[in-house]
Amino acid sequence: MNAAIDWRTEASRISFRDKAFIGGRFVASAAGETFDNISPIDGRVLAKIAAGDAEDIDRAVKAARSAFEAGVWADQAPKARKRILVKLAELIQKHANELALLETLDMGKPILNARNGDMRAVAECVRWYGETIDKIYDEIAPTPKTALALITREPLGVVGAVVPWNFPLLMAAWKFAPALAAGNSVVLKPAEQSPLSALRVAELALEAGVPPGVFNVVPGFGESAGQALGRHMDVDALAFTGSTEVGKLFLKYSAESNMKIVGLECGGKTPNIVFADAPDLETAAQGAADGIFYNSGQVCDAASRLIVEDKIHDVFLAKVAALAKSYAPGDPLDEKTQMGSMVDATQTKRVLGFIEKGKAEGAALALGGRQVRQETGGFYIEPTIFDRVENRMTIAREEIFGPVLSTIVFKTPEEAVKLANDSKYGLEANLWTNDLTKAHRIARALRVGTVTINSRDGGGIEVPFGGYKQSGFGRDKSLHALDKYTQLKTTYISIG
Ligand code: NAD
């Protein structure tokens, strides 16, 4: 559908919002500081972005609080909030090419993934929560006849959201859409690597009719802007997506400030368990390759541990390695490219460090392992496969967040489950088998938030997503996400 678009020309024409969006206006940071927004495609500085700090966060929280107190959003009828959020979804669709381009330039994902994957999902998410909010009813408790007890769901007030760079707008939408639908005001801090799409969407939200101050975006670094939001005394809840390490800091920030509610969507080390009786080994191999190489492996539920039954190991690994060729890194602005760049130099160095560690600890490098396309000035790593990995090795334990697959063999279903659960993470597991009983038994035994069976597809906005163990708590997506952005009030009336 986008065959006619010359993305390089579009990229040369695009303009960037480079200021914070507070109280319905773009403003410079209070200190006048900026940071370089570097494109990982070629190392070019795209823009100098306002570097928000504690003072900017405070300004945004004040704007959010005063909009909440004034009731300009929270007190609108659910049906009215619905109309505005559906309009925002339409504007996101209308500007999908521009938003996709901003994300590709910002973090290097292939343009068609951004356009047809991310932006569709963002629009769907915003529309879904808009459509939902006038269909949710409150409760009346089963009391004696002499009383009437109403259980009503109320917005929290000011919600802070801190998000990562791998799906910049989608991870933000999973927070701001349900938070806004429920009537809260929002202060969003995008990742410093990828602030562009969030700044543009804040402007579109205003255009759709979200009142000034209800949706604010403050770009900046984690240690300054992120921490200030986490520690702010007037923020009621903090929704975080990012690494487990930083997620733990938000619990500390909450404990040391106002005990704000914290929701954490953190890291993962997804086991992809492939049995010899998988319905179709070709499909399973495609799932394994997509599962680790999509988005350069920078995916929280990337299928980074291939746990394969020993009797199909050789044939299956050969299939995955053959499919990996289609993921050779290419220009993210070329529609044919399936794998773009890493997000930045730091992440590239980190991933290469894990590859060296894998070799040093005795895993067998079966494919790739090198940085490529250095002549572009950008940051690219080949699809990489390790064989003969043991679950105790660093590459099987740590979240690499790059296109690096660790292959581990098993003999029995019990061993597969043991290997899968032997991780501090519990975000997702994938399972391939034709045996329905075995599939259900194993799905129950896996300590993860999502199990996919005979597919990598874990469902759309209608199902919850989130982790067990150190992958976090609370759920994004589905009606369950509204639990994070509302609280229950009991009103007990004596009528005796
Ligand atoms: P990160 O934890 O480094 O950063 C995430 C956000 O936290 C950024 O906005 C960053 O500025 C901020 N931050 C960093 N240090 C901070 C600090 N000291 N105080 C306050 N805020 C701080 O993560 P990342 O590298 O941007 O993203 C990759 C991580 O995100 C991976 O671990 C991945 O698994 C995780 N992730 C999880 C999900 C999920 O739904 N579970 C989805 C996507 C990504």
Side-chain angles (χ1 to χ4, degrees), residues 65-93:
R65 176 62 62 190
S66 84
F68 185 73
E69 297 291 335
V72 289
W73 180 249
D75 291 350
Q76 285 199 36
K79 200 182 274 188
R81 292 203 300 272
K82 170 178 88 169
R83 273 196 293 270
I84 292 171
L85 289 177
V86 169
K87 176 84 196 299
L88 175 56
E90 283 162 5
L91 287 173
I92 290 167
Q93 270 172 319

Side-chain angles (χ1 to χ4, degrees), residues 4-137:
I5 297 176
D6 175 352
W7 294 100
R8 282 243 160 242
T9 307
E10 293 296 316
S12 65
R13 291 194 193 123
I14 200 163
S15 60
F16 304 117
R17 275 52 175 179
D18 55 7
K19 306 226 167 8
F21 192 81
I22 299 175
R25 298 189 299 125
F26 282 110
V27 292
S29 70
E33 297 290 327
T34 60
F35 64 92
D36 285 349
N37 183 215
I38 296 167
S39 176
I41 295 180
D42 50 15
R44 186 164 59 99
V45 176
L46 295 169
K48 289 191 175 298
I49 306 287
D53 62 13
E55 197 177 339
D56 302 288
I57 289 292
D58 190 50
R59 282 197 292 170
V61 173
K62 284 198 169 102
R65 176 62 62 190
S66 84
F68 185 73
E69 297 291 335
V72 289
W73 180 249
D75 291 350
Q76 285 199 36
K79 200 182 274 188
R81 292 203 300 272
K82 170 178 88 169
R83 273 196 293 270
I84 292 171
L85 289 177
V86 169
K87 176 84 196 299
L88 175 56
E90 283 162 5
L91 287 173
I92 290 167
Q93 270 172 319
K94 182 172 156 199
H95 294 276
N97 286 351
E98 178 195 353
L99 291 165
L101 199 47
L102 290 176
E103 298 221 326
T104 291
L105 291 170
D106 230 359
M107 54 73 64
K109 69 172 63 195
I111 187 66
L112 285 194
N113 291 2
R115 173 65 185 79
N116 297 339
D118 293 32
M119 291 315 132
R120 278 188 192 163
V122 170
E124 187 198 15
C125 172
V126 174
R127 182 188 301 278
W128 198 85
Y129 283 106
E131 290 285 2
T132 293
I133 206 65
D134 67 345
K135 296 167 190 71
I136 294 178
Y137 292 77

Side-chain angles (χ1 to χ4, degrees), residues 467-482:
Y468 281 30
K469 302 196 266 183
Q470 292 188 41
S471 290
F473 51 80
R475 292 293 179 265
D476 280 334
K477 307 201 299 173
S478 84
L479 294 181
H480 295 284
L482 292 169

Side-chain angles (χ1 to χ4, degrees), residues 31 40 76 98 117 132 252 277 296 308 320 339 351-352 441 463 472:
Q76 285 199 36
E98 178 195 353
T132 293
K252 186 165 113 107
D277 65 0
S296 302
V308 60
V320 178
M339 191 165 90
V351 172
L352 292 171
R441 211 170 345 107
V463 292

Side-chain angles (χ1 to χ4, degrees), residues 343-354:
V343 71
D344 61 11
T346 309
Q347 185 65 9
T348 305
K349 203 168 150 217
R350 190 170 169 269
V351 172
L352 292 171
F354 276 116

